[in-house]
Amino acid sequence: QWRTLARKVNTHLLCLHRVESKPKAQSIRFVIFPRTHPHQPIITMKFVAGLVALFAASANGFSVNTPVTSRVSTTSLQSTAWDIASIGRSVRIEGQSREHWEFPDPNQEIVQVCIDSNGRPVESLIELWIGPDWTPMKVKAYTEDGMMRPIQSLIGTRNKAAAIDINNTGPGDFPLNAAAAYASSQMAAQRADLLTANTGRYIEGGAVHSVNFDASVDSVQVLLYTDTRQLNAQVELLNGPNNFKQKYEVFTNNGMLNSLYVVFNTPGSGNVVRVTNLAPLEFPCKAFIASA
């Protein structure tokens, strides 16, 4: 076959020579040897050697000299302080069902609540009960991914014997895991420190306030507060134009005694926290937003 291919070259014989100019850089030089006589025999070994050199050079051209490094996920890990297994009694709540936790100690005021799932969406309603028929605070919470972005909040009991009721408002095939317990002193101090860290943003009724965060921020803490007036507001975590990944909607008759404190996990880039005051104009609130 090589001899047949060589006979098709009537005037010239193409040979390949490899020239090494640098230790790791190679180039190919084409040299053309003319035939002195049309019937001169062609040395097919040189022709085969040239093709082998060409194939070897082309294979080296596709080789990679730099080492390949494995990709590292940028998804932030959950803090152990918000690990649902370390908070307290955790309960699996099926869709369209509910569970409650009792907190009878009036000397403690802050309750830590965490809700997650196995990666499915979570729709829940968190209620604070004081007495048999008084619910001074309600929080509607939604997250697109209960594993990547769990629901994390601190709720005040007004130093009274109270109960926390968690209702899974999602469909029956979307269960969730929930836990609630009195918060540690370090966790309660985080909320108090956020109030003194900055002056906050004054948001009138019907107004909207947004804050952008870069990819280096793993989590964001938000505190909504009023001067004893009612608090009716919505906090969203956006990733893209109007593409909310997580949302809280709160209503309480006293935004000082029951301020809303939530923590967002913010993996990746393009995260925006948006606060909307749903109350009328005469019910403003203050928003304290900072990286956790």
Side-chain angles (χ1 to χ4, degrees):
Q1 294 178 354
W2 290 114
R3 193 179 300 275
T4 303
L5 180 62
R7 289 196 184 97
K8 295 182 181 180
V9 182
N10 296 321
T11 59
H12 298 86
L13 175 64
L14 182 62
C15 295
L16 303 176
H17 292 268
R18 183 175 62 186
V19 178
E20 298 185 358
S21 59
K22 294 182 180 180
K24 291 187 179 180
Q26 297 179 354
S27 61
I28 301 299
R29 184 175 64 186
F30 296 90
V31 181
I32 299 178
F33 297 93
R35 292 181 58 185
T36 58
H37 193 273
H39 300 288
Q40 180 181 359
I42 298 175
I43 303 176
T44 59
M45 292 301 294
K46 291 184 178 180
F47 189 76
V48 173
L51 291 179
V52 172
L54 178 62
F55 295 153
S58 62
N60 291 332
F62 288 98
S63 63
V64 180
N65 294 326
T66 57
V68 179
T69 58
S70 60
R71 297 181 58 186
V72 179
S73 175
T74 58
T75 305
S76 60
L77 299 178
Q78 294 185 12
S79 173
T80 56
W82 286 102
D83 188 4
I84 196 170
S86 64
I87 292 177
R89 180 175 66 94
S90 61
V91 177
R92 175 187 170 98
I93 305 176
E94 303 293 337
Q96 301 299 320
S97 60
R98 62 200 310 158
E99 183 66 29
H100 78 282
W101 288 255
E102 296 183 358
F103 300 94
D105 189 359
N107 297 321
Q108 301 189 62
E109 198 263 336
I110 305 297
V111 173
Q112 181 180 3
V113 178
C114 183
I115 302 173
D116 67 5
S117 70
N118 59 354
R120 295 184 177 184
V122 171
E123 298 179 39
S124 62
L125 174 63
I126 306 171
E127 295 178 327
L128 171 67
W129 291 357
I130 298 179
D133 55 359
W134 186 32
T135 309
M137 185 178 185
K138 294 183 179 182
V139 179
K140 294 180 181 179
Y142 167 82
T143 179
E144 185 182 69
D145 188 336
M147 179 181 295
M148 182 180 297
R149 301 179 185 89
I151 296 170
Q152 304 166 145
S153 179
L154 296 180
I155 296 177
T157 62
R158 305 190 181 189
N159 292 107
K160 299 180 182 295
I164 297 293
D165 181 85
I166 299 178
N167 184 3
N168 186 352
T169 59
D173 51 350
F174 285 169
L176 58 84
N177 304 311
Y182 281 116
S184 62
S185 57
Q186 294 83 2
M187 185 67 66
Q190 290 184 4
R191 189 180 76 161
D193 293 341
L194 186 58
L195 285 172
T196 58
N198 53 65
T199 57
R201 177 62 180 258
Y202 182 84
I203 304 176
E204 293 183 344
V208 180
H209 174 60
S210 300
V211 180
N212 301 327
F213 291 92
D214 55 24
S216 62
V217 178
D218 293 331
S219 60
V220 175
Q221 51 183 345
V222 180
L223 176 63
L224 301 184
Y225 184 85
T226 67
D227 55 352
T228 71
R229 283 181 276 190
Q230 75 174 28
L231 174 63
N232 186 11
Q234 179 177 274
V235 186
E236 298 169 294
L237 175 65
L238 307 177
N239 193 278
N242 290 323
N243 181 20
F244 62 89
K245 301 295 185 179
Q246 197 168 356
K247 180 170 63 174
Y248 295 88
E249 183 177 340
V250 59
F251 177 81
T252 177
N253 64 341
N254 192 325
M256 177 180 289
L257 297 179
N258 283 119
S259 58
L260 176 68
Y261 177 86
V262 296
V263 176
F264 291 103
N265 287 353
T266 56
S269 60
N271 294 297
V272 178
V273 173
R274 182 171 66 185
V275 180
T276 305
N277 191 344
L278 303 176
L281 183 65
E282 59 271 16
F283 293 101
C285 68
K286 270 192 173 183
F288 299 83
I289 304 174
S291 59

